[in-house]
Amino acid sequence: MASNPFVYYEQHVDTILIIHLIISFFISLLISFYALKRFKKSTKKIDLQDAHRVAGVQDRSWFFKVLFKASLHKNNQIAIFLFSFLFNLSVPFLGYFFTLWVFWYMSNVKYEEKVLDTNILDLDEFQDSFLEVGRLFGEGSMINVMNNDYIPKSKKIKALSALANTNSPMSLQVVKQTLSNRDDEIRMFGYTIINKAETAISSKINKNLAIISSEIAKGEAKSKKIIAFAAKELAYLYWEMVYTELVHDSLKVNFLNSVIAYLEIAKEYYVPQLDNIVEKIKLCDEEDTDMQNLNQIRKERKKLEDTYTICTSLFSLMGRVYMHRKQYEEAKVELTLAKELLSKHSTFLIPYLAELYFITKEYNITRTLMTQARGLKYNAKLYPVVAQWRNV
């Protein structure tokens, strides 16, 4: 009878099976495409890392490639399609609802932001690329490395290479220890580093000396600005020779005198410029405030700021030279003037003043200066000293 459902099913079993296959096919296809879109093309860091791992696994050998093709990984579209298709075939009708529920769940599931935004390193990714970290020079100071006969020459060469581009007093002091080394290669390498540093500064000194000579030769047509700028550069270059101890002890006095002489030449030009610029700004303020006048005021203010910076550097360098010569009262005057010129940005001068007052045993002033130096708490080298004086 046609009214019997079993009879009807037997008569139309082929049609029902075809409809079931078509529905299962399209549902599975939809799930596989959406799964690939949701995970493989995700911009989230964790999903991208997972995709890279999958690609790396597949590149290892044919076995892993075959294993991945048979796996149910979220980046394997074929495996997802086959799983969904076979599941719908094996579970008619109910399988449709379960597959659609999976589709709905993937559309609405939310992952914890705390997990997705984490910055924890994946240590597995460093197993092939992370460099091995170990001691290079062993225990002891660099000077001991240079003077120790039991340390391999290769390590001494590496140590010298590390110091080659650092023209600081400490590094050059270490390099100087190699000039008496019994090994010719190390001794010549140390000499080359020192000679390179001396040559670089000497060439700059000769260049600025030539500029001053050429300007003086012009007579009345000489440019005081060019001479002042070259004198400022010469003062710093001569000071660098003394500060880095590249100059011989017998010439230190002459070099320091040269620093002071060129600083005086620079100050004769730059210091009066401060008053001249201030006067120009006052005159501009008294005139009509049109656009051209405002631009002129901005230009003069910028020039004033630059001149303040130059004068501060001149006074501070003069103070350091006087400190080096143990003329402490003169050093106080110069460093105080430098601090007053840049009252809001003079934190870098406070360590010099604090050291100066400490040498002259004026400890209360040293403590006051350290208390005011709030910006020095960000200096890892000076912070322990600042913190100690604040607790005195």
Side-chain angles (χ1 to χ4, degrees), residues 202 204-214 230 234 238 262:
S202 297
K204 293 178 182 179
I205 290 175
N206 293 330
K207 180 181 177 180
N208 285 280
L209 286 173
I211 291 173
I212 292 178
S213 298
S214 63
L234 282 170
Y238 279 116
Y262 286 116

Side-chain angles (χ1 to χ4, degrees), residues 211-259:
I211 291 173
I212 292 178
S213 298
S214 63
E215 288 297 322
I216 292 176
K218 293 179 182 178
E220 296 295 330
K222 65 183 179 183
S223 173
K224 294 182 179 180
K225 182 177 180 181
I226 294 176
I227 293 175
F229 183 81
K232 177 174 72 71
E233 294 298 312
L234 282 170
Y236 274 99
L237 290 169
Y238 279 116
W239 170 249
E240 187 175 358
M241 291 287 285
V242 176
Y243 178 72
T244 56
E245 297 186 358
L246 288 172
V247 64
H248 194 269
D249 291 340
S250 60
L251 298 175
K252 277 187 178 180
V253 175
N254 293 333
F255 273 64
L256 288 174
N257 290 336
S258 297
V259 174

Side-chain angles (χ1 to χ4, degrees), residues 284-285 288-299:
C284 291
D285 288 336
D288 297 332
T289 57
D290 55 1
M291 184 58 65
Q292 184 177 359
N293 192 45
L294 290 174
N295 291 334
Q296 183 66 23
I297 291 175
R298 293 193 190 98
K299 183 179 179 181

Side-chain angles (χ1 to χ4, degrees), residues 158-202:
K158 288 182 180 180
L160 283 173
S161 300
L163 299 172
N165 296 321
T166 308
N167 289 340
S168 66
M170 293 297 295
S171 62
L172 291 176
Q173 187 66 30
V174 175
V175 175
K176 284 183 178 180
Q177 299 292 322
T178 63
L179 299 181
S180 58
N181 197 289
R182 288 178 291 181
D183 190 287
D184 293 338
E185 186 176 354
I186 293 175
R187 186 171 65 253
M188 291 303 296
F189 192 13
Y191 173 78
T192 302
I193 294 173
I194 294 175
N195 183 64
K196 179 183 176 182
E198 289 180 346
T199 303
I201 298 176
S202 297

Side-chain angles (χ1 to χ4, degrees), residues 15 18 30 43 80 131 187 253 266 271 312 374:
T15 305
I18 292 173
L30 184 66
T43 58
I80 294 172
L131 298 177
R187 186 171 65 253
V253 175
V271 174
T312 301
R374 297 181 179 180

